[in-house]
Amino acid sequence: MISFPVKKDDITIVLCGAAGQGVQTVEQLLTHLFKQTGYNLFSTKEYMSRVRGGSNSTELRVSSHKVQAYLDTIDLLFPLSREALDHVRRRISPGTIIIGEKEKLAPGGDDIPGIVDIPLSGLSQKIGGAIYSNIIIVGVIAALFNIDRKAIEEYLRDRFGKKGEQVVAKNIEAVDAGYEFGDGLTSSGTVSIELTRDAGVEDDIIINGGEAVGLGAIAGGCNFMSSYPMTPSTPVLTFLAQHSKEFGIIVEQAEDEIAAINMTLGAWYAGARGLVTTSGGGFALMAEGLSLAGIIESPMVIHLAQRPGPATGLPTRTEQGDLEFALYAGHGEFPRVLFAPGTLEDAFHLTRKAFAVADKYQVPVFVLTDQYFIDSYYNIPQLDISDGKIDRHIVETDTGYKRYAFSDSGISPRGIPGLGKGLVVVDSDEHDEEGHITENHDMRIRMMDKRLKKLDAVVNEAVPPELIGKKDASTVVICWGSTFPIVREAVERLSRNDMAVLYFKQVYPLHPGTGSFFKHARKRVIVENNATSQFGRLLKLHADIDITTRILKYDGLPFSVEELEKRLLEVI
C-alpha cells in the first residue's frame, strides 16, 4: 500500500497534459474551490506555443499559510499521458504520489513507482466521453482535501450554467465519480492529507498578475486602452475589455501595435488616461510612438509583459530580458520611468501610480512584468482603494497659452483641445514654446534641457527598494520584479542572520538613497531571469554598485525556490 506522507502546512499538486485536455479548466476550478474552502493557494503554469498537443503543466500549491512562489517539489502528480509524465519526470521524487491511468502511462507494462491507478477512460466513457476526464480529476482532488460537495456543485452551476442544465448535470456527475474514487483513497489510507485551513483566507481575493495590473489601471483612472494581442500581455487586454462597460473604459483591439500606441497617444492628447499592453515583439513596433510621446511630452502608460527573445524566441515562456529594451527604446533622449512589481499587491499599486506619474510629469511610464508573473494566481487581502482620489494635471487654456512654456521644473501646463480658449499645438519635430516647428539651434538646446530636467523631479519621487532582513547584513541578495517572492522564500529557508533581500520595484530611475543599502554588504548577489544581468549593469551605471555574484537563469522557466536555495548556498 502506498501511503502519502502526512503534511500539515504545504502540498504541491501538478497536473500535466496536452493542450486541449482541459488542464487549465482544472486549474481555474480548483483555484477558486481551494480559496473558498479556506486554503491558501498559489498556482502557475507553463505551456507550449501551440493550440493542440504538446505537454503543458499547472502547479497548485495548497498551504495553511500564505504562499507566493513556485516549487519544484511535487507531492501529488496527475499526468494525463505518457508524454506528460516524461515532461515533468525530473521533478518526480520518491515522495511523489502519481495518480493516473496506468494503462496509458505505462502501455508496455513498465513499473512506475508510486503510482495510484485510476480508470479515467472507463469512468469518463460512462459519463459521456474523454472530455470529462479533467472534471473527474477535480472530484478526486476535492475528496482528498475534503472540499464540500455542495460547494463544488454551486461553483459548477455558476461556471457552466450558461451552457445549459445538461452540461451542468454531466459535470456534476463527473465530479461525483472522481469524488467517490478520492474518498476510496482516503478511507483506505492510500492517501492521507491533513492540511490546516486558514480562517483568514475567507476575506481574501484571488487574482492573477494580469488582473492585478488591470485593477491597478482602473484605480489609476484608465479610461482608454488600445492594444494588439500578444502573449503573455493579452490577459490585461482581456480583463479590461470584460470590465469596460462597468468602469467606462474604451477598449480597442487595434490592427497592429503601431496603431495601438498612436491611438493611445491621441487619447492622452484629448484628455483621457490611456494604456497599451504588449510584449517584446509588439513593443518593438511601438518604438517610434514611444519617441513621439517623448518629444510631444505626452503621458503614456505601457505594460510590457516580458518573454524570451530575440524575435519570437520562446513566445509562451518567461524571462526578464526586456529591461534594457524598455530603458533605451526609441530614438533620441527623453525621460521615462520603469516600475517592476514582484507581488500582486505591488502590481496593483504601481500600475495605479504609473498613471499618476505619467500625468504629472508628462512622460512614458512602464510596468514591467513577465509570463510567470502574469499567469500566477494567489490569494491576497482585499486591495485598499479607500483613497480613490485621482489627481489630474490638465489646465484650462487661455488665449496666450503655450503648450511648452519654459518653467523651473521643466513641466509645462498641459492643456487639451476644447478646454479653454487657447490653441494646443504639438509637433513631432523640434518646436518652440507654442508647439510650432523650429530648427533654431538655441531653442533645440533649451527644449532638450527642459525635457530632461523633469527627470530630476521624478527621481525625488522614486520608490525606494524594500529591504527584508537586517540593515547591516553582510550578504545582500538583490532582485527585481517577479523573482522577489522566490528569492524571499529561498533566503527564509536558509535562515541566515547575515543575509538580507533587497527588492527593487522601481528599476529606473533609481531611488537616490540606493547606495546606502549596500554600506555593510561584503557580498552583493543578484538574481535575474536573464542571461546578462541587465539590472546588475544598471546598478553599476546609475548607482556605482559593484555586483560580486550573479545568479542567472534564461531557459524560459522561472527559478524554483529549491533551485535558488541550492544556488545561493553555492555562492555564500
Side-chain angles (χ1 to χ4, degrees), residues 208-220 222 235-236 239-240 249 275 347-348 351:
N208 63 23
E211 290 166 339
V213 171
L215 287 168
I218 292 170
C222 176
V236 177
F239 178 78
L240 288 180
I249 304 169
L275 170 71
F348 171 78
T351 305

Side-chain angles (χ1 to χ4, degrees), residues 258 260-269 274-276 283 285-302 326 329-337 357-359 361-366 403-404 410 414 425-431 447-448 450-452 454:
I258 298 171
I261 193 167
N262 286 323
M263 284 183 190
T264 309
L265 280 171
W268 278 101
Y269 175 68
L275 170 71
V276 292
F283 180 58
L285 296 173
M286 294 182 176
E288 190 167 9
L290 175 68
S291 297
L292 179 59
I295 196 164
I296 67 174
E297 300 186 50
S298 171
M300 170 61 66
V301 178
I302 300 170
H331 34 286
E333 300 161 296
F334 54 93
R336 66 193 73 189
V337 178
V357 171
D359 196 346
Y361 296 103
Q362 302 169 27
V363 295
V365 180
F366 291 81
R403 171 65 185 91
Y404 301 106
R414 186 165 72 94
V425 179
V426 298
D427 196 310
S428 66
D429 288 64
E430 193 56 274
H431 41 254
M447 277 294 166
M448 280 293 291
K450 166 185 149 28
R451 289 190 288 267
L452 294 174
K454 292 189 288 187

Side-chain angles (χ1 to χ4, degrees), residues 350-372:
L350 290 174
T351 305
R352 182 183 187 182
K353 185 178 178 69
F355 283 87
V357 171
D359 196 346
K360 183 176 181 180
Y361 296 103
Q362 302 169 27
V363 295
V365 180
F366 291 81
V367 178
L368 286 176
T369 65
D370 51 53
Q371 178 269 323
Y372 168 70

Side-chain angles (χ1 to χ4, degrees), residues 93 100 109 180 234 237 271 368 539 543:
S93 71
E180 186 177 342
T234 305
L237 173 62
L368 286 176
L539 280 173

Side-chain angles (χ1 to χ4, degrees), residues 162-380:
K162 290 182 180 177
K163 296 184 178 182
E165 184 55 36
Q166 186 177 1
V167 173
V168 173
K170 285 291 183 184
N171 279 283
I172 291 175
E173 189 179 347
V175 163
D176 287 344
Y179 209 100
E180 186 177 342
F181 185 86
D183 261 347
L185 294 180
T186 54
S187 60
S188 66
T190 304
V191 179
S192 175
I193 295 174
E194 294 180 14
L195 192 66
T196 306
R197 301 188 187 196
D198 178 0
V201 171
E202 184 179 354
D203 295 328
D204 282 359
I205 59 172
I206 188 159
I207 57 174
N208 63 23
E211 290 166 339
V213 171
L215 287 168
I218 292 170
C222 176
N223 53 13
F224 182 87
M225 180 184 204
S226 176
S227 290
Y228 186 79
M230 178 171 273
T231 302
S233 69
T234 305
V236 177
L237 173 62
T238 306
F239 178 78
L240 288 180
Q242 288 170 337
H243 297 279
S244 58
K245 291 182 179 177
E246 188 179 352
F247 293 100
I249 304 169
I250 295 173
V251 177
E252 174 72 13
Q253 179 179 321
E255 61 267 37
D256 57 36
E257 287 84 353
I258 298 171
I261 193 167
N262 286 323
M263 284 183 190
T264 309
L265 280 171
W268 278 101
Y269 175 68
R273 285 192 159 196
L275 170 71
V276 292
T277 182
T278 189
S279 296
F283 180 58
L285 296 173
M286 294 182 176
E288 190 167 9
L290 175 68
S291 297
L292 179 59
I295 196 164
I296 67 174
E297 300 186 50
S298 171
M300 170 61 66
V301 178
I302 300 170
H303 168 239
L304 177 53
Q306 301 166 96
R307 67 187 204 184
T312 307
L314 295 171
T316 60
R317 303 295 177 175
T318 199
E319 195 167 271
Q320 292 180 306
D322 290 339
L323 170 58
E324 290 182 330
F325 186 25
L327 182 57
Y328 298 119
H331 34 286
E333 300 161 296
F334 54 93
R336 66 193 73 189
V337 178
L338 277 65
F339 294 128
T343 67
L344 299 181
E345 292 96 325
D346 282 345
F348 171 78
H349 292 296
L350 290 174
T351 305
R352 182 183 187 182
K353 185 178 178 69
F355 283 87
V357 171
D359 196 346
K360 183 176 181 180
Y361 296 103
Q362 302 169 27
V363 295
V365 180
F366 291 81
V367 178
L368 286 176
T369 65
D370 51 53
Q371 178 269 323
Y372 168 70
F373 185 87
I374 287 294
D375 289 332
S376 293
Y377 284 87
Y378 50 85
N379 56 294
I380 59 173

Side-chain angles (χ1 to χ4, degrees), residues 15-18 20-27 29-30 78-81 99-101 104 118-142 160 170-179 181:
L15 303 104
C16 190
Q21 285 190 298
V23 172
Q24 300 309 316
T25 302
V26 177
E27 179 199 26
L29 289 171
L30 288 174
F78 292 83
L80 295 177
S81 66
I99 300 179
E101 191 164 11
K104 284 189 175 180
I118 176 172
L120 264 182
S121 296
L123 291 172
S124 59
Q125 287 302 325
K126 287 181 183 176
I127 298 165
I131 193 174
Y132 294 103
S133 296
N134 60 338
I135 304 299
I136 292 172
I137 289 174
V138 171
V140 175
I141 296 173
F160 298 113
K170 285 291 183 184
N171 279 283
I172 291 175
E173 189 179 347
V175 163
D176 287 344
Y179 209 100
F181 185 86

